[in-house]
């Protein structure tokens, strides 16, 4: 899910920061430029990893009062892979599907055709409902996918989009149409009551 990647870039130090130590100023500019930015064919940058491996000598550009340094540094990148299973929280439910967030990344979508079957969307509550049938003699159960609930999903596709008019973006399409996926509460083991445990204990025989 997370990788460390090496980046080579020319970092500009503005005149306001020229009084700072060079490495400190470079780190400050990297921390402003890269976090929450999508790098094509790499992923979503979370932050800088450690100090710069190399900071070149600064050079000036005509008409620019800043100093430019050729730098080599490492970044922590969020790069999910297809078929990866992880937890998230439901942020929104619509008839088209469920939107999921993992905190720092919110562009995860579970379409209606990749829900656990049989499932349906209830307009009144605005929630997706899974109706598993455990036994022919029992009535169908109804398990709601409540907003903010913890959900386990599998990544079906990871897209990195590049548009000349907009910054690159990343989105994930996921599925929950397998056993073990979906709300974590759906697959939690039932908790036995203390009374049931007491009933299971064998009665002690009285000594004569």
């Amino acid at each position: 899910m997370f990788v460390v990647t090496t980046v080579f870039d020319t970092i500009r130090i503005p005149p306001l920061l020229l009084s700072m130590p060079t490495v400190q100023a470079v780190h400050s500019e990297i921390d402003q430029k890269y976090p929450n930015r999508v790098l094509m064919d790499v992923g979503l940058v979370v932050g800088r990893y450690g100090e710069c491996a190399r900071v070149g000598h600064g050079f000036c550009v005509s008409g620019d009062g800043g100093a430019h340094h050729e730098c080599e540094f490492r970044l922590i990148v969020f790069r999910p892979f297809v078929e990866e299973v992880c937890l998230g929280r439901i942020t929104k439910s619509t008839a088209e599907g469920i939107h999921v967030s993992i905190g720092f990344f919110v562009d995860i979508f579970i379409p209606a055709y990749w829900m656990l079957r049989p499932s349906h969307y209830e307009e009144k509550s605005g929630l997706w409902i899974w109706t598993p049938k455990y036994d022919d003699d029992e009535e169908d159960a109804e398990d709601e996918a409540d907003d903010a609930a913890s959900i386990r999903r599998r990544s079906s596709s990871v897209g990195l989009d590049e548009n000349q008019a907009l910054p690159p973006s990343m989105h994930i399409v996921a599925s929950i149409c397998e056993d073990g996926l979906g709300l974590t509460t759906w697959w939690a083991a039932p908790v036995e009551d203390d009374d049931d445990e007491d009933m299971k204990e064998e009665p002690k025989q009285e000594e004569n």
Side-chain angles (χ1 to χ4, degrees):
M1 180 183 291
F2 295 96
V3 298
V4 176
T5 186
T6 301
V7 176
F8 299 87
D9 192 8
T10 300
I11 302 299
R12 176 185 180 273
I13 306 301
L16 184 64
L17 301 183
L18 291 178
S19 60
M20 295 174 58
T22 301
V23 174
Q24 184 179 347
V26 168
H27 287 171
S28 176
E29 290 304 299
I30 292 173
D31 293 342
Q32 289 188 22
K33 179 178 180 180
Y34 279 95
N36 204 32
R37 174 182 174 185
V38 173
L39 302 180
M40 289 303 299
D41 301 323
V42 180
L44 175 67
V45 177
V46 178
R48 174 172 51 86
Y49 183 76
E51 297 184 352
C52 286
R54 183 179 65 85
V55 178
H57 295 292
F59 59 90
C60 296
V61 177
S62 178
D64 186 354
H68 299 255
H69 297 264
E70 293 182 354
C71 303
E72 177 186 349
F73 51 92
R74 293 184 294 175
L75 300 171
I76 300 174
V77 176
F78 172 61
R79 187 168 67 187
F81 54 87
V82 176
E83 298 298 320
E84 180 181 29
V85 176
C86 66
L87 291 173
R89 289 203 174 273
I90 297 175
T91 58
K92 181 182 178 182
S93 297
T94 66
E96 288 74 30
I98 292 176
H99 297 262
V100 178
S101 167
I102 55 174
F104 63 90
F105 185 74
V106 298
D107 201 355
I108 303 172
F109 181 64
I110 304 171
Y113 53 83
W114 271 337
M115 298 290 180
L116 267 172
R117 298 180 179 86
S119 297
H120 67 275
Y121 180 73
E122 189 177 77
E123 293 284 350
K124 185 176 180 180
S125 63
L127 300 175
W128 276 89
I129 299 176
W130 177 41
T131 54
K133 195 168 186 178
Y134 300 108
D135 196 314
D136 293 339
D137 298 331
E138 295 181 2
E139 294 183 0
D140 292 350
E142 290 192 354
D143 294 321
E144 295 181 343
D146 298 319
D147 288 347
S150 178
I151 188 170
R152 183 179 290 108
R153 50 84 189 172
R154 183 188 299 277
S155 298
S156 298
S157 66
V158 179
L160 294 172
D161 299 330
E162 187 173 22
N163 189 318
Q164 293 183 353
L166 298 171
S169 62
M170 181 170 69
H171 61 274
I172 299 173
V173 177
S175 71
I176 58 170
C177 60
E178 302 174 42
D179 288 347
L181 301 181
L183 266 63
T184 53
T185 54
W186 293 352
W187 304 101
V191 179
E192 295 183 353
D193 296 334
D194 294 338
D195 295 340
D196 295 338
E197 291 291 334
D198 295 339
M199 293 177 63
K200 292 180 181 179
E201 293 182 0
E202 295 182 0
K204 296 181 180 179
Q205 295 181 355
E206 295 182 359
E207 296 181 358
N208 295 330

